[in-house]
Amino acid sequence: MEFDLNNDDYLSIEKFELMLKTNEVGFFDSDEFEQIIEHYLDHGKMALARKAIHLAMNQHPSSVNLRLFHAEMLVFDDKFDLAQNLLDDLQELQPNNSEIFIQKANIFSKTEQHEKAIELLQIALDLTDDRADVYNLIGMEFLFIEDYSSAKLNFMQCLELDDTDYSALYNIIYCFDFLQEHQQAIDFLNMFLDKNPYSEVAWHQVGKQYFDLKMYEKSLAAFEFAIISDEHFVGAYLEKGKVLEKLGRYNEAIENYQITLTLDDPTSFAYLRLGKCFNKLGNDEQAIRYFKKTVNEDPLLDKGWLAIVDYYSKNLNYPKALNYIEKAIDVDGENAMFWTRYADLNRKLNFFEEAEYGYRRAIELGNYEKKTWLSRADILLALGETEAVVSNLNHGLEFYPQEVEMEYRIAGAYYKLNQPVKARFHLQNALKQDPEFVIILEELYPELLKKEEIVKLIKRHS
């Protein structure tokens, strides 16, 4: 039930909205109501669609199409039993109406009974004139149950019937990508391009497939064809810039990123890539300029903040790097990467309490890298928090059982806490794994090497 709104249709909508404002009830024929409801559904104006359906059902209670709209709204509102009953009644009146089966399938889909939805859509497929749309719906159901091969075949059928349906094309490529069938995706896209040689979307997708295969020259050529097909295709310029970066052609990459700034509103991605390119070329002034533009454009893009922090860190300007990571944390205090950088920088500046807090927050937020546990342990040891060292490393050993660097550290900590049995256990584990790492004891616990028991253990495993 699709309509092209002509002037008369817009007059119907204006008349309907005027009626709502004045609280006067006007009469609309069933065709007008269908057009009005379709318009509101297409534009996501669900409240107005509900009002139109309510009035339509009062004025035309026997209209099958209007009752179908009513069923669709009931499904949208998760009133599945009411919708099912209404659709059952309609099916008795029109057993070959494909839209009834589509709406019933929608109920099964929303209640996660996707196999049943597919069965009904297969029936609708034999009843409808709009087979492309139904193939698309079947493809989506197969996606829900992660049957990517079947989904792909149905999206292909959709595209065969309607080669302008780019959502189907994107879904086909999504399936190929999930199945890691990059070459098959390229073969399919080339067949599509044989029939549609100026499809910028298809060329763009070919380029991305070649990029994933690290075939950068072919990827570059594909993006250039996409641009020839549509010289205003911002995505193709961005992807072409990425390829040129991979090829080390940074000046050309910059040109393509800058073109995107003239074609559309600036994006944080383009600013970030420009900063990276200038950084590679050693143009520090332009690099930091674009990195700052990145976070101004999108303060939530963590890569922008990290680029600034890494830039100043590389230039040994740790105070300035710390200042920017603190700004980043103000924007997003739940980002583990920010807290790790915060801790690293405070450690470089000998702000140990702040560094320890940073590593602790990073771990709390899910940074379970070995380096994080070890760094926090060393900071805690420097702060004289030996019991906290043990607690931290025991937690770390849950993620990295018998990790030799943790074993040496926790052994030393247990010796310092005068718990020789636990200390000996961990030291023996460490020495069995790699006796050369005993240097950790020498650096962190040099006083322990004066103990005869420890010296004997080390000699026994050397």
Side-chain angles (χ1 to χ4, degrees), residues 340 359 362-363 367-377:
T340 304
Y359 289 127
I363 291 169
N367 180 348
Y368 302 139
E369 295 177 7
K370 181 178 73 173
K371 175 180 175 291
T372 309
W373 301 105
L374 297 176
S375 297
R376 182 171 181 240

Side-chain angles (χ1 to χ4, degrees), residues 269-392:
F269 178 83
Y271 283 146
L272 179 62
R273 297 322 310 169
L274 282 163
K276 296 278 188 182
C277 288
F278 280 117
N279 199 34
K280 289 285 187 180
L281 293 170
N283 189 333
D284 289 353
E285 183 179 343
Q286 288 288 72
I288 195 60
R289 173 172 168 259
Y290 278 106
F291 289 150
K292 289 179 180 178
K293 278 178 173 284
T294 301
V295 296
N296 286 334
E297 181 66 30
D298 183 4
L300 294 176
L301 182 66
D302 54 9
K303 291 181 180 178
W305 291 107
L306 294 174
I308 295 173
V309 171
D310 291 345
Y311 168 85
Y312 284 120
S313 296
K314 184 188 73 173
N315 289 292
L316 307 183
N317 192 340
Y318 300 128
K320 201 149 193 174
L322 181 59
N323 175 257
Y324 274 97
I325 204 62
E326 288 172 343
K327 289 182 179 180
I329 288 170
D330 286 341
V331 172
D332 181 7
E334 302 298 305
N335 189 309
M337 289 187 293
F338 289 168
W339 284 106
T340 304
R341 290 290 205 290
Y342 171 86
D344 289 341
L345 288 164
N346 275 295
R347 186 178 186 182
K348 290 181 187 297
L349 293 166
N350 293 323
F351 300 151
F352 293 142
E353 290 185 1
E354 291 83 354
E356 187 279 323
Y357 178 70
Y359 289 127
R360 175 156 39 99
R361 286 291 291 133
I363 291 169
E364 290 170 353
L365 292 168
N367 180 348
Y368 302 139
E369 295 177 7
K370 181 178 73 173
K371 175 180 175 291
T372 309
W373 301 105
L374 297 176
S375 297
R376 182 171 181 240
D378 293 348
I379 292 291
L380 287 167
L381 186 63
L383 291 170
E385 302 285 345
T386 311
E387 289 184 0
V389 172
V390 169
S391 175
N392 172 72

